[in-house]
């Protein structure tokens, strides 16, 4: 059974200040000891404890900078915790920054293996799914062309097709996106719904509250890095829209 346990999770980023003092200010600060701080710490997630179990379809809402995407990346091991723990039981498919691992000089086929290894697939798995990835992306004619010559739609079709090729135990989505023409968008949307249906756990971030309401049986509201509410969509979303969306 798939499960994610988050215990007292906090994630801190160090923000460096680009200060270029004049020579006069430098010597004045040197002798007075009044040196400005070179950096400050920002807590993107603060003391979050939550559990996700099989059957959960969870939407995470909150204003920009609330810590939603940072929390997702912690679940996917992109970010390490500064404090607390994250325990994941099950295979995770992170659809966060689709195509982020592509190399522009490599062909589409080469990028399947490069990006696939980043996503955690073995060479044997990639050999099995390669034909289906290429066919779904409709790139048979261009698969051995360097992706730097691809249009944006072609690039995103390949990235989406690879990222969704294997059905995971745990599906993590950050602002569902698929690039391409209307026909591809229709097929991509159908595949996304199929993946959501087949995943044991689905966790998503989206600003589309109607989509969250339609797909999720649970909603988490985050604000300034902290978990504010965790409950049913028809309870949490109206409260967020009434009090939190413009906070």
């Amino acid at each position: 059974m798939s499960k994610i346990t988050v215990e007292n999770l906090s994630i801190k980023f160090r923000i460096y200040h680009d200060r270029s003092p004049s020579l006069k200010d430098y010597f004045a600060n040197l002798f007075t000891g009044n040196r400005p701080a070179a950096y400050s710490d920002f807590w993107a997630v603060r003391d979050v404890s939550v559990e996700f179990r099989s059957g959960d379809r969870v939407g995470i809402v909150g204003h920009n900078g609330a810590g939603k995407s940072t929390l997702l990346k912690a679940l996917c091991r992109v970010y390490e915790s500064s404090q607390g723990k994250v325990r994941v039981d099950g295979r995770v498919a992170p659809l966060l920054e689709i195509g982020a691992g592509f190399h522009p000089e490599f062909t589409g086929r080469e990028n399947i293996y490069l990006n696939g290894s980043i996503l955690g697939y073995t060479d044997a798995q990639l050999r099995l799914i390669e034909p289906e990835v290429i066919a779904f992306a409709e790139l048979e004619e261009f698969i051995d062309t360097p992706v730097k010559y691809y249009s944006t739609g072609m690039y995103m079709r390949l990235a989406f097709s690879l990222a969704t090729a294997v059905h995971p135990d745990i599906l993590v989505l950050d602002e569902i996106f698929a690039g391409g023409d209307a026909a591809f968008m229709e097929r991509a949307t159908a595949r996304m719904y199929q993946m959501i249906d087949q995943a044991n756990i689905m966790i998503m971030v989206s600003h589309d509250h109607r989509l969250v309401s339609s797909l999720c049986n649970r909603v988490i509201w985050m604000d300034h890095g902290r978990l504010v509410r965790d409950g049913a969509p028809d309870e949490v979303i109206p409260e967020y829209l009434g009090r939190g969306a413009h906070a």
Side-chain angles (χ1 to χ4, degrees):
M1 298 291 284
S2 302
K3 182 179 177 183
I4 301 176
T5 305
V6 180
E7 294 179 355
N8 306 116
L9 176 68
S10 294
I11 297 177
K12 177 176 67 175
F13 295 122
R14 182 154 287 180
I15 302 173
Y16 289 89
H17 307 296
D18 183 18
R19 296 178 182 273
S20 302
S22 66
L23 190 61
K24 177 181 177 182
D25 289 338
Y26 174 80
F27 281 108
N29 292 332
L30 183 65
F31 289 113
T32 61
N34 184 27
R35 298 184 184 181
Y39 61 83
S40 59
D41 291 330
F42 170 72
W43 291 91
V45 172
R46 197 64 188 260
D47 196 29
V48 170
S49 295
V50 65
E51 190 170 272
F52 306 96
R53 294 179 175 273
S54 291
D56 276 345
R57 301 287 184 264
V58 184
I60 304 178
V61 300
H63 61 77
N64 291 332
K68 307 182 300 296
S69 294
T70 301
L71 176 60
L72 285 194
K73 290 180 179 179
L75 302 181
C76 299
R77 305 297 191 186
V78 176
Y79 293 150
E80 291 296 322
S81 60
S82 302
Q83 297 174 8
K85 298 178 181 179
V86 176
R87 291 197 298 272
V88 179
D89 297 318
R91 177 185 173 85
V92 178
L95 270 66
L96 303 177
E97 297 173 9
I98 295 178
F102 279 9
H103 192 294
E105 300 293 337
F106 289 3
T107 67
R109 193 185 309 275
E110 290 168 337
N111 271 297
I112 289 175
Y113 286 86
L114 172 65
N115 199 241
S117 65
I118 293 172
L119 292 172
Y121 300 145
T122 65
D123 279 348
Q125 287 176 314
L126 289 168
R127 283 193 294 272
L128 285 174
I129 66 176
E130 177 189 340
E132 195 274 338
V133 168
I134 297 169
F136 190 86
E138 298 177 332
L139 288 173
E140 292 91 343
E141 189 177 348
F142 303 99
I143 197 61
D144 292 309
T145 301
V147 299
K148 67 180 180 181
Y149 297 118
Y150 283 15
S151 67
T152 300
M154 292 165 65
Y155 186 96
M156 293 309 301
R157 291 206 310 270
L158 180 61
F160 178 88
S161 182
L162 175 59
T164 58
V166 175
H167 295 297
D169 299 319
I170 302 167
L171 181 62
V172 179
L173 311 167
D174 193 352
E175 295 294 352
I176 295 174
F177 175 80
D181 57 25
F184 181 79
M185 287 287 286
E186 185 176 345
R187 291 192 299 116
T189 301
R191 174 176 277 201
M192 286 303 311
Y193 277 95
Q194 183 182 28
M195 287 188 71
I196 291 168
D197 287 341
Q198 295 182 359
N200 287 323
I201 298 173
M202 187 276 287
I203 306 167
M204 66 179 291
V205 164
S206 179
H207 287 97
D208 186 339
H209 305 115
R210 286 175 295 184
L211 183 65
V212 171
S213 294
S214 68
L215 293 180
C216 301
N217 56 22
R218 179 179 165 197
V219 172
I220 289 172
W221 170 13
M222 292 194 66
D223 185 62
H224 293 92
R226 296 185 182 274
L227 195 157
V228 178
R229 284 288 309 275
D230 180 355
D234 59 356
E235 296 174 357
V236 178
I237 290 177
E239 184 176 351
Y240 166 65
L241 292 175
R243 297 201 294 115
H246 304 293

